[in-house]
Amino acid sequence: MTVLMQEMSWPAFEEKTKALAPFFLPVGATEQHGPHLPLGTDAFLPTHVAKEVAARVGGVVAPAIPYGYKSQPRSGGGQHFPGTTSLAANTLTLVVRDVIHDLGLHGARRFVVVNGHVENAWPVIEGIDLALRELRRDGIDDAVALRLEYWDFVQTETLDRLFPDGYPGIDLEHASLLETSMMLLVRPDLVDMSKIPNDGPAEFPKFDRYPTPPGLVPASGVLARAQGSTAEKGEWLLTDHVNLITEAISAEFSLQTR
């Protein structure tokens, strides 16, 4: 049986709510990822993780929110790159609120919001808070939501294998080794290894300046080196992400895994 909500009939959906299945909501972005990766990378990856985990815990994956909060230079390159299409923080908050609230009205009680875009964190938190408030207002006081960034679920040993000279941190990994390797596993048809640029890693001050100064971000939009990316490395990462998130959710909701 499918785990994708958009492929379910309403009776199948209702069965899932009666079983207290966890409902996963991937929240991504439509954002530049260099000349070698697609604009939808931040939606493809959390959706893949959500599908894999949902299959193990009997969950449902709601359609991903494909737009995220505004791209920032130090973590995403910035809004000036063609194709980067974003939401204001309040808009994203209200979308998350409305989706969770409606799912709750239709019987969902366990939510897992899987974030795929660094800048989304606080608008998503606010959306969850507002949704749970509205559900309580409507007499539904047993809803529980978990929010996570999938990249936090990785073993130190895996990062040491990937970065023997030291892990630069998730912000600089935009369109770099991690995302490129995972996309080579998840959607290799959308990766063009011949277009990986040679610039980077980016060097940023420890503050943000607006408007963004010209030349602050590498012209390619890639913030660190993507050379050496392979599907095998992507598999190392995604295995950790799926296994560790499955363990965390199963423990939190007392679920049996398949």
Side-chain angles (χ1 to χ4, degrees):
M1 178 182 292
T2 182
V3 299
L4 296 177
M5 179 177 149
Q6 63 263 42
E7 295 180 355
M8 293 180 177
S9 65
W10 72 259
F13 175 97
E14 188 174 50
E15 286 181 16
K16 285 292 188 178
T17 62
K18 289 179 178 178
L20 292 179
F23 278 72
F24 294 78
L25 176 61
V27 185
T30 299
E31 178 191 44
Q32 74 84 21
H33 277 74
H36 64 296
L37 292 179
L39 294 165
T41 294
D42 285 349
F44 288 129
L45 293 178
T47 299
H48 176 84
V49 171
K51 287 168 60 179
E52 293 292 316
V53 177
R56 297 185 181 192
V57 300
V60 177
V61 181
I65 297 173
Y67 298 106
Y69 179 58
K70 297 169 186 173
S71 178
Q72 299 299 305
R74 290 197 288 156
S75 54
Q79 288 293 123
H80 62 286
F81 284 91
T84 299
T85 308
S86 305
L87 300 177
N90 187 55
T91 304
L92 179 58
T93 290
L94 296 181
V95 172
V96 172
R97 179 202 66 181
D98 288 354
V99 172
I100 293 176
H101 178 250
D102 252 26
L103 289 173
L105 291 181
H106 289 292
R109 293 293 181 269
R110 295 168 168 175
F111 303 97
V112 183
V113 181
V114 184
N115 184 28
H117 176 66
V118 170
E119 292 90 329
N120 286 346
W122 293 109
V124 166
I125 288 171
E126 183 69 4
I128 293 169
D129 181 65
L130 292 176
L132 295 182
R133 279 198 237 173
E134 292 200 358
L135 287 171
R136 288 193 294 269
R137 177 203 65 192
D138 295 334
I140 298 169
D141 58 7
D142 57 346
V144 176
L146 309 181
R147 182 201 64 86
L148 59 89
E149 277 77 37
Y150 71 84
W151 53 78
D152 287 337
F153 292 80
V154 62
Q155 298 185 75
T156 301
E157 294 80 5
T158 301
L159 291 176
D160 289 343
R161 291 172 74 188
L162 291 164
F163 301 100
D165 296 326
Y167 177 44
I170 192 61
D171 285 0
L172 280 186
E173 269 303 300
H174 179 77
S176 305
L177 181 74
L178 300 186
E179 288 187 315
T180 304
S181 293
M182 287 187 286
M183 286 297 291
L184 282 169
L185 186 68
V186 174
R187 289 299 305 269
D189 57 309
L190 299 179
V191 181
D192 189 342
M193 295 294 285
S194 70
K195 293 183 178 177
I196 290 179
N198 290 317
D199 53 0
E203 294 184 5
F204 295 114
K206 296 186 182 299
F207 56 83
D208 297 313
R209 175 179 168 177
Y210 303 97
T212 302
L216 179 67
V217 179
S220 67
V222 178
L223 303 188
R225 307 283 285 183
Q227 283 80 0
S229 301
T230 65
E232 181 184 25
K233 292 175 181 177
E235 187 171 15
W236 300 346
L237 286 161
L238 286 166
T239 296
D240 274 7
H241 297 335
V242 171
N243 287 343
L244 295 177
I245 292 172
T246 299
E247 289 175 13
I249 291 171
S250 298
E252 196 67 27
F253 290 144
S254 301
L255 299 170
Q256 292 187 340
T257 58
R258 299 174 180 176

